Amino acid sequence: MAGLVNYIAESYNELKNHVTWTPWAEAQRLTLIVIVFSVIFSLVIWGIDTAFSNLIEYYFTLVKS
């Protein structure tokens, strides 16, 4: 049990004193960039998926008739 407590104490010390954290304003800016990119990427994927779906549906209506 002492090993676990020591591990947690050392981890806390490492995070508090030795890790360089990104400033809050930069973290917010980078988060916004990731959100915008994710939305744009998902819209592109949705558009490609819709186009292929319509193309396949059109193909099968031609083959069926």
Side-chain angles (χ1 to χ4, degrees):
M1 187 67 171
L4 179 62
V5 172
N6 188 35
Y7 172 77
I8 292 172
E10 287 180 6
S11 296
Y12 178 78
N13 182 38
E14 183 76 23
L15 289 172
K16 185 168 172 96
N17 299 318
H18 297 99
V19 173
T20 304
W21 296 98
T22 303
W24 182 245
E26 185 177 356
Q28 287 177 323
R29 183 181 62 84
L30 293 174
T31 300
L32 184 62
I33 290 172
V34 168
I35 290 170
V36 168
F37 177 78
S38 297
V39 168
I40 291 171
F41 188 72
S42 65
L43 289 173
V44 168
I45 295 296
W46 172 76
I48 292 171
D49 181 55
T50 302
F52 277 123
S53 178
N54 290 338
L55 184 66
I56 290 171
E57 186 178 336
Y58 177 71
Y59 172 77
F60 280 112
T61 56
L62 286 179
V63 170
K64 189 176 182 181
S65 36

